[in-house]
Amino acid sequence: MPPSAGTGLRKLGRSGRFWEEKKDMFSKKKSVLLFLVPGLLMLLVFYVVPFAGGIGYSLTDGSYRNEFVGLANYRALWGNSMFRLGLKNTMELSLICAPLLWVLSFLLAAALGAIKPFGGFFRSGVLLPYLAPSSAILLVWLVLFDYGGPVNRVMEALGLARVMWLESGALRAPIVLMFLWKNLGFCVVIFLAALQSIPQPLYEYAMLEGAGFLRRAVGITLPLILPSAFLVFVLAWINAFKIFKEVYFIAGAYPDTSVYTLQNYMNNMYDKLNYQLVTAAAYSFALIVLGIFALLFFMQRRASRAVA
């Protein structure tokens, strides 16, 4: 047999194996799709279709004729002072809560990672507030910050005046503390998992060179756990945007103006059957959130390139 014929047969054999592997891969993909289809259908029916339908609904007048009014609902929404107040408070609370949660969870994770005896016990215990029901935490907070509660008693013992924590602008402080206490554990767990992937000799060499905690954190830790740190920051922002049930449970539908959130406004408009303003507010806020997260992803990409 000529050498060229043997080479052709080998190539034909490799080509046959290649197409057999491709065929197996496509058959596996088909079987995977069969399992994905029910979930994708539910996602389409209960999320995608209502989301698309809501856009159209926000452009109508809400009458029985359901006439198209263009952006009139959005103009009325942005001209509403209560909507602007709720949006401002929501953004302020997120700007306070998200960075605080990120910094505290990073510091606590670093401290827990350095604890050798009983470290597992403390790492498990920090997650308990996240697993506890929100209603139970709210009841504890109502007792702690009541006018005659422990917090005011301690303040009075220190010579300070009592504060109406639950019925004034001071409510923002308990809300922020509750958010931090509730969400700190989950963020700490993510940071702990990321910190365990860093080789310890890097820290030992840095300590020999005289680097302190801050220098090690900025020069070693954060660059090596940048994707996880970014994930924690995004989750912190998402949870901060959802601060509503705590305010509603404590202060009702119309709390003090300092804690009146966008969700308060949307809930009140829903109770008044003003669905057009509810949908317009939802999509306006969605665009703002998408813009913020797009900016965050852009900053993360730039930081990753700088580290690389």
Side-chain angles (χ1 to χ4, degrees), residues 21-35:
E21 292 174 358
K22 281 285 187 182
K23 188 177 180 180
D24 292 340
M25 183 179 68
F26 284 125
S27 63
K28 290 178 181 178
K29 284 186 176 180
K30 288 180 181 179
S31 61
V32 170
L33 285 174
L34 289 176
F35 290 100

Side-chain angles (χ1 to χ4, degrees), residues 1 8 28 37 76 89 96 141 152 164 178 190 212 227 252 274 295:
M1 181 184 294
K28 290 178 181 178
V37 164
N89 287 335
I96 294 170
W141 242 245
N152 273 330
M164 299 287 290
M178 188 190 313
I190 297 176
N274 198 335
L295 178 62

Side-chain angles (χ1 to χ4, degrees), residues 47-307:
Y47 287 91
V48 178
V49 172
F51 185 85
I55 295 175
Y57 201 72
S58 69
L59 302 175
T60 61
D61 63 354
S63 66
Y64 70 96
R65 294 180 180 177
N66 212 25
E67 294 181 352
F68 179 78
V69 294
L71 298 177
N73 292 322
Y74 289 90
R75 287 194 293 269
L77 175 75
W78 284 92
N80 189 300
S81 60
M82 296 307 293
F83 167 77
R84 296 197 303 271
L85 175 65
L87 181 61
K88 179 179 77 71
N89 287 335
T90 298
M91 298 305 295
E92 286 180 358
L93 284 170
S94 63
L95 286 171
I96 294 170
C97 292
L100 266 178
L101 180 61
W102 190 90
V103 172
L104 291 176
S105 58
F106 174 74
L107 294 176
L108 185 57
L112 290 175
I115 296 175
K116 299 304 180 184
F118 306 108
F121 171 76
F122 290 112
R123 286 191 288 271
S124 301
V126 78
L127 195 59
L128 290 179
Y130 181 78
L131 301 176
S134 298
S135 57
I137 296 175
L138 285 167
L139 289 174
V140 173
W141 242 245
L142 286 174
V143 174
L144 288 175
F145 288 93
D146 186 71
Y147 188 73
V151 174
N152 273 330
R153 290 181 181 274
V154 171
M155 291 178 62
E156 195 173 31
L158 295 173
L160 302 173
R162 295 193 182 195
V163 178
M164 299 287 290
W165 294 106
L166 306 178
E167 299 178 7
S168 65
L171 178 59
R172 182 173 286 195
I175 293 297
V176 171
L177 290 175
M178 188 190 313
F179 172 83
L180 294 174
W181 191 67
K182 172 73 175 173
N183 295 281
L184 191 64
F186 183 70
C187 296
V188 167
V189 169
I190 297 176
F191 268 127
L192 280 171
L195 290 173
Q196 289 174 0
S197 65
I198 300 177
Q200 291 302 312
L202 292 177
Y203 290 117
E204 295 172 1
Y205 179 78
M207 293 174 68
L208 289 174
E209 293 293 323
F213 172 79
L214 185 61
R215 178 63 179 167
R216 295 197 303 271
V218 174
I220 298 175
T221 306
L222 289 177
L224 293 179
I225 65 168
L226 189 60
S228 298
F230 177 72
L231 173 64
V232 171
F233 196 71
V234 170
L235 292 175
W237 269 77
I238 292 173
N239 289 326
F241 282 141
K242 295 190 294 184
I243 295 177
F244 165 66
K245 61 179 179 292
E246 298 88 352
V247 177
Y248 187 82
F249 186 87
I250 294 174
Y254 295 94
D256 187 84
T257 54
S258 64
V259 289
Y260 184 89
T261 65
L262 183 59
Q263 288 83 352
N264 282 107
Y265 173 80
M266 294 171 65
N267 188 69
N268 294 335
M269 290 299 102
Y270 182 84
D271 289 341
K272 294 177 181 178
L273 305 182
N274 198 335
Y275 303 133
Q276 278 65 37
L277 287 185
V278 173
T279 53
Y283 291 115
S284 297
F285 188 59
L287 287 175
I288 293 172
V289 171
L290 286 175
I292 291 173
F293 286 145
L295 178 62
L296 290 176
F297 276 105
F298 175 74
M299 293 172 63
Q300 191 261 347
R301 290 283 299 273
R302 288 195 62 180
S304 298
R305 290 174 182 172
V307 171

